[in-house]
Amino acid sequence: MMHDHPVLRQLIRELQLIAALCCILISSAVVARAEQPFMTIEGDTRSIAWWVLAEFHPFTTEVRGIPAGQIRKGWCKATEFRKDLIPSKFLFEGGGDAMEASKQSFAVEGNFDGSSTRQLALVGVYEDCKGARGRFFMILDLPTVGKPRIRLLDAFQMPHQYTALSLDDDKTITLWACMDCDNFAKLKWDRKRHKFVWLSPPNSD
């Protein structure tokens, strides 16, 4: 019989071993993902605001179709903040939408530079290929054809990465490191200098 051939038996054993190893690796990856949620908190949220305690763990390798390594060299992961990634018990504590009440969001869209091209401002968390994590802020051009293009990138390495945005009527973008505090930075398009300018710089602490 064909399966009694020594070479064939060895090949079958090797294939079975490879298949078993693949199953173990896949299972380990699933378990690791399940054990490491996007947001973790160490501390008492009854006495300290959750966004002060929160640490975020990026798990995607691109943002809006742009690979992490193209956003910034040396990045391996980058995940855009989204409401569905934040436990609802924090965002909807008391039954209301805390971000909406603070007039904040994780992404805002508009013509920030007064051009005909739409732009998108968003925030998220990155992890470089050495394991260091931090927050990032991006403004993307949204052309009618083709992929988004990075207009501005600002990133800081830090252990607590919560960031949100709000947009004023005069197209000033405000970055918030909290929902209810005075830790913020403002950015606006400067017509004379033809670039985005920080009216108050972001805090790297």
Side-chain angles (χ1 to χ4, degrees):
M1 297 290 289
M2 285 286 292
H3 62 271
D4 290 330
H5 194 284
V7 175
L8 182 58
R9 288 200 301 273
Q10 180 64 25
L11 178 60
I12 291 173
R13 283 196 295 269
E14 290 177 357
L15 289 174
Q16 290 173 334
L17 178 60
I18 291 171
L21 288 173
C22 287
C23 289
I24 291 172
L25 289 173
I26 292 172
S27 298
S28 298
V30 171
V31 170
R33 177 70 186 99
E35 292 178 347
Q36 183 67 87
F38 176 62
M39 187 180 99
T40 57
I41 288 182
E42 290 188 12
D44 188 356
T45 56
R46 292 172 298 181
S47 57
I48 302 175
W50 68 267
W51 57 81
V52 175
L53 300 171
E55 291 186 37
F56 297 91
H57 309 273
F59 61 92
T60 55
T61 57
E62 63 177 39
V63 174
R64 303 282 174 152
I66 306 173
Q70 291 183 18
I71 298 173
R72 176 165 287 182
K73 186 178 180 181
W75 287 8
C76 280
K77 296 178 183 178
T79 300
E80 177 183 352
F81 285 132
R82 302 194 315 264
K83 279 187 175 181
D84 62 293
L85 295 177
I86 310 296
S88 58
K89 67 178 181 179
F90 296 115
L91 284 183
F92 300 96
E93 186 177 5
D97 188 326
M99 290 196 74
E100 186 174 327
S102 301
K103 297 182 179 179
Q104 297 178 5
S105 61
F106 293 130
V108 292
E109 188 172 335
N111 299 98
F112 308 137
D113 62 358
S115 70
S116 59
T117 301
R118 300 285 290 176
Q119 283 98 35
L120 174 71
L122 59 87
V123 287
V125 58
Y126 73 85
E127 183 175 303
D128 67 24
C129 299
K130 294 181 180 179
R133 280 178 282 128
R135 68 182 185 187
F136 69 84
F137 163 69
M138 279 199 301
I139 294 180
L140 303 175
D141 276 340
L142 302 177
T144 54
V145 178
K147 293 183 179 180
R149 181 174 67 89
I150 298 174
R151 285 285 299 278
L152 182 144
L153 173 67
D154 204 279
F156 289 112
Q157 182 178 327
M158 55 181 55
H160 302 283
Q161 307 90 12
Y162 177 86
T163 318
L165 303 173
S166 64
L167 182 63
D168 296 340
D169 292 338
D170 65 354
K171 300 182 181 179
T172 298
I173 301 170
T174 304
L175 278 72
W176 299 90
C178 54
M179 282 193 189
D180 185 19
C181 70
D182 58 359
N183 188 353
F184 61 85
K186 289 182 175 289
L187 181 83
K188 189 175 182 181
W189 177 258
D190 190 311
R191 294 182 180 180
K192 293 182 178 180
R193 299 165 67 180
H194 299 286
K195 67 177 183 178
F196 289 102
V197 175
W198 290 106
L199 305 180
S200 57
N203 191 340
S204 60
D205 295 335

